[in-house]
Amino acid sequence: MLFAGAGYEVVLFDILETQVSTALDDINSQLKSLEDSGLLRGDKDSGEQFKLIRGSDKLSEAVSDAVYVQVCVCHTLGAEFLAKIFTLFGFPGELAIFLLATLVSIC
């Protein structure tokens, strides 16, 4: 939401389409709530910001022309899986920023 508030297009990726649609519904709800509370960042309203956010179940589509990629994986997947992610993206290749976040609390 922060990036959409700054005017960037955002693409959420998951191999499960239901995960993406659930996340988009939640983001839309949160944007509206922030707007209603006067806490929405940026100069666009919640609807305009939400139009900048979309989902995909195709990784290549999600990272196409990206300047920032954030990968959130469960810590129990291990270093081998993380190495495959780095290889997939050609890290530290042409992407401007690549952030790997480890989700510990929900795994």
Side-chain angles (χ1 to χ4, degrees):
M1 293 185 304
L2 181 65
F3 290 97
Y8 289 97
E9 292 182 21
V10 176
V11 182
L12 304 177
F13 164 78
D14 198 291
I15 59 172
L16 300 174
E17 188 177 323
T18 56
Q19 290 292 95
V20 174
S21 62
T22 299
L24 289 171
D25 289 343
D26 184 55
I27 289 168
N28 193 26
S29 175
Q30 288 184 53
L31 285 170
K32 289 176 182 175
S33 178
L34 287 167
E35 184 174 42
D36 291 344
S37 302
L39 300 173
L40 187 66
R41 293 181 177 210
D43 58 357
K44 299 179 183 328
D45 66 31
S46 62
E48 292 172 314
Q49 289 187 27
F50 187 69
K51 287 179 185 176
L52 293 171
I53 304 170
R54 63 184 173 86
S56 177
D57 60 356
K58 295 179 181 71
L59 184 59
S60 60
E61 180 182 296
V63 299
S64 177
D65 299 324
V67 294
Y68 177 87
V69 174
Q70 181 169 333
V71 179
C72 299
V73 297
C74 182
H75 75 288
T76 59
L77 292 175
E80 183 177 316
F81 179 76
L82 300 181
K84 287 180 182 179
I85 290 174
F86 287 132
T87 302
L88 178 67
F89 288 110
F91 188 76
E94 297 180 15
L95 294 175
I97 301 172
F98 184 99
L99 176 66
L100 181 64
T102 304
L103 302 176
V104 177
S105 60
I106 64 170
C107 298

